[in-house]
Amino acid sequence: HTNDAATTIPRLFDMGIEPFLVASSTNVIVGQRLVRKICEQCRVTEIHDRKSWEEYTQLFPKEMIKKIFGDKNEVHTYVGKGCDICNHTGYKGRVGIYEVMYVSEEIRRAIVSKENAATIAEIAKKEGMKTMLEDGLEKVKMGTTTLAEVIRGTKE
């Protein structure tokens, strides 16, 4: 029960598992959250100009938004307008957003040294780990879910 993959490591320490055991027996840690999927029957496009997009995404790191959505004058996202299929909620079903942290040699050394979760997360990101937030934003771009759902699913 942690907020992300890296926080699993100190949680295991809290449970009394020795760092050398965690380092030697862990290959991968997956963090996950479920978010609601946009109903495919009533999904419509929302068009955001640059100003409204910046306001809409102000809670997210600007560099992450630019990396995923680009630097366009107009961004398209999707919402469900509500229909009989989704009981007028705009959502039907759920989808996972994930964070997969492979335990590399550098992360193993950090575990044995009892580094904090933030340090371990930075190492994992440097090695290419996609965060839950990034995965969620990619699913927003694909039209699978909404920004509101990603916020709900990833807030700490």
Side-chain angles (χ1 to χ4, degrees):
H1 299 287
T2 63
N3 290 327
D4 58 24
T7 310
T8 302
I9 302 298
R11 177 72 179 112
L12 291 171
F13 297 161
D14 292 345
M15 294 169 63
I17 303 172
E18 293 294 331
F20 77 92
L21 288 173
V22 174
S24 65
S25 62
T26 307
N27 295 321
V28 66
I29 299 170
V30 179
Q32 65 181 13
R33 294 284 185 273
L34 289 176
V35 295
R36 295 180 296 174
K37 285 176 62 176
I38 299 170
C39 175
E40 293 179 12
Q41 300 301 311
C42 64
R43 185 175 81 166
V44 296
T45 303
E46 282 190 330
I47 300 171
H48 307 272
D49 62 26
R50 185 180 293 268
K51 186 174 190 289
S52 72
W53 181 244
E54 287 173 0
E55 289 173 11
Y56 195 51
T57 59
Q58 65 186 342
L59 296 175
F60 299 97
K62 290 189 185 322
E63 63 279 354
M64 188 181 295
I65 292 292
K66 187 175 180 180
K67 175 184 166 188
I68 294 170
F69 292 94
D71 195 20
K72 304 172 190 165
N73 286 326
E74 189 176 273
V75 176
H76 294 219
T77 60
Y78 304 89
V79 295
K81 64 181 178 185
C83 66
D84 290 339
I85 302 292
C86 64
N87 292 321
H88 301 281
T89 64
Y91 296 101
K92 181 86 172 140
R94 295 185 183 268
V95 66
I97 54 175
Y98 303 97
E99 177 172 283
V100 180
M101 185 177 79
Y102 294 96
V103 182
S104 66
E105 286 307 313
E106 188 174 353
I107 291 174
R108 286 184 205 289
R109 286 190 291 277
I111 291 169
V112 171
S113 300
K114 291 188 87 170
E115 295 288 348
N116 63 34
T119 300
I120 293 169
E122 284 308 311
I123 295 167
K125 288 179 208 171
K126 183 185 74 172
E127 293 177 347
M129 179 184 77
K130 184 186 339 177
T131 66
M132 263 188 275
L133 179 57
E134 288 171 300
D135 189 46
L137 290 173
E138 287 175 0
K139 287 180 170 112
V140 169
K141 183 178 180 182
M142 294 185 310
T144 304
T145 193
T146 62
L147 278 174
E149 277 298 290
V150 171
I151 292 168
R152 188 189 61 76
T154 60
K155 70 179 180 189
E156 295 181 9

